[in-house]
């Protein structure tokens, strides 16, 4: 998978609602209604990640907050897989 350049990333980033790009990574925080909803969301992300064999860093904090960081570690940057997974996570979040 090829690393995308910053120009390509910045042009496409607006299509990923809520995500920011910093230090060669996508980052987004999600706020859920409860601790169990946050844990369930993490599990849904894990299942989706396994489907495309692309695994994010996930942090559950403050009982109902989930931070997701995406990066293709093998290229130390963003690839198409990061865009694909970020979009899938947004869909999971919007569907509760």
């Amino acid at each position: 998978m090829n690393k995308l350049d910053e120009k390509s990333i910045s042009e496409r980033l607006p299509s990923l609602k809520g995500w920011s790009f910093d230090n060669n990574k996508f980052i987004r925080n999600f706020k859920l209604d409860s601790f169990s909803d946050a844990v369930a969301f993490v599990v849904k992300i894990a299942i989706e990640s396994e489907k495309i064999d692309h695994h994010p860093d996930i942090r559950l904090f403050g009982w109902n907050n989930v931070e997701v960081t995406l990066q293709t570690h093998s290229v130390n940057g963003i690839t198409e897989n990061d865009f694909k997974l970020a979009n899938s996570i947004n869909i999971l979040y919007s569907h509760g």
Side-chain angles (χ1 to χ4, degrees):
M1 184 85 25
N2 294 327
K3 180 178 176 177
L4 300 174
D5 62 45
E6 287 197 26
K7 181 178 184 236
S8 174
I9 293 166
S10 63
E11 287 173 351
R12 294 176 58 190
L13 187 60
S15 70
L16 295 177
K17 182 181 177 191
W19 292 87
S20 62
F21 176 70
D22 185 44
N23 199 23
N24 292 318
K25 299 174 185 176
F26 285 155
I27 302 166
R28 181 165 179 193
N29 289 308
F30 299 88
K31 186 171 188 139
L32 289 296
D33 292 333
S34 67
F35 179 75
S36 59
D37 287 343
V39 171
F41 183 56
V42 169
V43 171
K44 289 176 186 176
I45 293 170
I47 292 167
E48 191 64 30
S49 299
E50 283 293 309
K51 287 179 187 176
I52 66 169
D53 193 29
H54 191 62
H55 306 96
D57 293 329
I58 302 172
R59 183 171 72 106
L60 174 61
F61 64 101
W63 71 270
N64 68 335
N65 297 285
V66 176
E67 178 185 76
V68 180
T69 304
L70 296 174
Q71 180 186 57
T72 302
H73 299 289
S74 62
V75 299
N76 191 34
I78 300 298
T79 65
E80 288 298 328
N81 277 347
D82 298 295
F83 274 97
K84 182 177 180 179
L85 186 54
N87 187 56
S88 294
I89 292 169
N90 279 355
I91 292 168
L92 289 172
Y93 184 68
S94 68
H95 290 116

